[in-house]
Amino acid sequence: MTPNISLNRTCHGIPAWPPSALVHPAPCGQAGIPQRAGQLYARHHMKHPEDFVFHFTSAGAALSILTRRQLWATDIEYLNDRLEGQLPSKVLGWIVDKPENYLPGVQIIEKHLGALRKSLNQGLVACTISFSQHYRSLPQFRMYCPPAGGYAVGFPIDYLKEIGLFIKCDYSRNNLIEWSKAYAMRFLSDATALDSDDLDAVKLCQEIIRRKPYIQERVVAALTFKSEEFVNELEHRLVAFGLPKLFRESQDRNLIIPYSAIDLPNREIEVRLVPGPNREPDLASRSIGSLSRAAREAGTVWSMGHLSPGEFGFRA
């Protein structure tokens, strides 16, 4: 990530229940025995999937999301890929080293390039949680869910945009290069405007980043731009700035991961639940009913629909 960050298998034929069945479950049977969750289901088909993004996770995490109404955003320094998030700083480093290759014809003072170089060692603490536009992606179920199986929890994009900074990842190398060149030109222009004889490159860098949000812009860009090899992920990210105050075990239980809890407003929205490949597919499908009932018991008013992968198959 950005250096020196210092601040702060298939489930068949299990339909879904409509919102009314979730909020107002059917009455108990004649003997007073509560109905099974499966009896609350009604057929549901995915409408406007482009309006949703999906978080791939374990059964326990899905239960926590639906009952606590929280998302856990991981400190960006602890993401799975240590190279992830370094692309803008890497390209800016190329520009500093060989400005004539990227900014031909621009007269640049060496001290200003030095200030830009120094700024690349500055950062902000940020946490993020990932989503995908895919809801039947076999690679993502395998990568982000436990080997025995997992779930994808889908939220409306507009809902997530209201909560915080919501980013759609960009996999274009050309866009990355053009963004970096524009960023460098703005920084160098401010360096020219603010320069004075009593400022060296370090102090000039400090003055520029004190006045302009360059560091936050670069951290956001670091979370936005990804390598073209990951383009099929169609990733989106919800970002929270600030020092994380919570800690959890890593999935392998060998690390302590800092994270921030992002509270989700408890209001009427549509949420989609998708069971992934599972060694117990029938039980995984039944668990959808348990997840929804647990959410209802916890006071969650979201309307939850179930998508069965058996209806559409997984995407490789």
Side-chain angles (χ1 to χ4, degrees):
M1 303 309 302
T2 305
N4 194 25
I5 303 271
S6 57
L7 298 179
N8 46 35
R9 178 111 336 183
T10 304
C11 307
H12 297 281
I14 305 296
W17 55 101
S20 59
L22 174 63
V23 181
H24 304 289
C28 298
Q30 291 183 353
I33 301 175
Q35 291 185 328
R36 303 286 298 183
Q39 294 176 269
L40 301 180
Y41 293 151
R43 177 66 60 180
H44 175 82
H45 296 286
M46 185 65 165
K47 295 181 179 179
H48 307 295
E50 68 278 3
D51 296 334
F52 288 78
V53 287
F54 294 80
H55 179 63
F56 293 78
T57 191
S58 66
L63 179 63
S64 177
I65 291 170
L66 298 175
T67 57
R68 296 183 180 182
R69 299 179 294 279
Q70 280 186 344
L71 293 171
W72 290 3
T74 301
D75 188 324
I76 61 177
E77 287 288 330
Y78 290 79
L79 297 180
N80 294 332
D81 185 355
R82 294 292 297 169
L83 299 178
E84 191 172 350
Q86 295 183 3
L87 292 179
S89 293
K90 186 175 183 179
V91 175
L92 287 167
W94 296 343
I95 294 174
V96 169
D97 292 337
K98 297 287 184 179
E100 65 276 9
N101 292 346
Y102 297 91
L103 305 175
V106 179
Q107 298 297 316
I108 305 174
I109 298 174
E110 186 62 33
K111 182 169 75 170
H112 299 172
L113 283 176
L116 177 56
R117 182 182 290 108
K118 293 293 182 181
S119 75
L120 301 182
N121 293 326
Q122 305 299 314
L124 295 171
V125 174
C127 297
T128 186
I129 182 169
S130 295
F131 303 84
S132 173
Q133 284 184 258
H134 291 314
Y135 57 92
R136 57 188 180 109
S137 171
L138 186 57
Q140 293 189 79
F141 273 114
R142 287 175 171 171
M143 181 175 294
Y144 301 115
C145 299
Y151 296 84
V153 183
F155 291 95
I157 292 176
D158 290 342
Y159 174 76
L160 296 175
K161 286 181 177 179
E162 296 174 2
I163 296 171
L165 178 61
F166 190 70
I167 295 171
K168 180 179 181 180
C169 290
D170 189 328
Y171 303 89
S172 168
R173 177 180 173 83
N174 288 337
N175 289 347
L176 170 62
I177 297 294
E178 290 304 313
W179 180 91
S180 301
K181 289 163 61 176
Y183 178 98
M185 285 297 295
R186 287 191 292 112
F187 190 100
L188 294 170
S189 177
D190 284 336
T192 300
L194 296 172
D195 195 9
S196 65
D197 293 339
D198 60 336
L199 294 178
D200 60 13
V202 174
K203 292 182 179 179
L204 180 58
C205 169
Q206 292 171 344
E207 186 64 20
I208 294 171
I209 64 178
R210 183 181 69 84
R211 293 168 177 259
K212 300 289 183 68
Y214 281 108
I215 307 306
Q216 180 169 335
E217 286 183 32
R218 182 162 48 78
V219 172
V220 171
L223 292 169
T224 300
F225 291 106
K226 296 194 66 174
S227 172
E228 293 175 339
E229 64 182 299
F230 300 113
V231 65
N232 290 331
E233 291 185 354
L234 298 181
E235 186 174 356
H236 295 62
R237 287 170 165 170
L238 185 62
V239 182
F241 286 99
L243 187 67
K245 299 180 180 181
L246 301 171
F247 303 88
R248 62 174 176 84
E249 287 183 325
S250 64
Q251 187 170 330
D252 295 332
R253 296 187 173 181
N254 64 328
L255 298 173
I256 300 299
I257 309 296
Y259 73 95
S260 292
I262 301 177
D263 292 325
L264 301 173
N266 190 23
R267 60 181 176 82
E268 292 188 4
I269 61 167
E270 294 184 16
V271 172
R272 297 288 173 258
L273 305 176
V274 185
N278 196 296
R279 63 177 60 162
E280 298 288 350
D282 293 335
L283 293 180
S285 294
R286 292 182 186 181
S287 292
I288 292 291
S290 298
L291 284 170
S292 298
R293 188 157 61 99
R296 183 170 68 247
E297 293 293 337
T300 302
V301 299
W302 301 336
S303 300
M304 281 172 264
H306 167 230
L307 295 169
S308 172
E311 298 177 25
F312 46 73
F314 289 111
R315 174 180 298 182

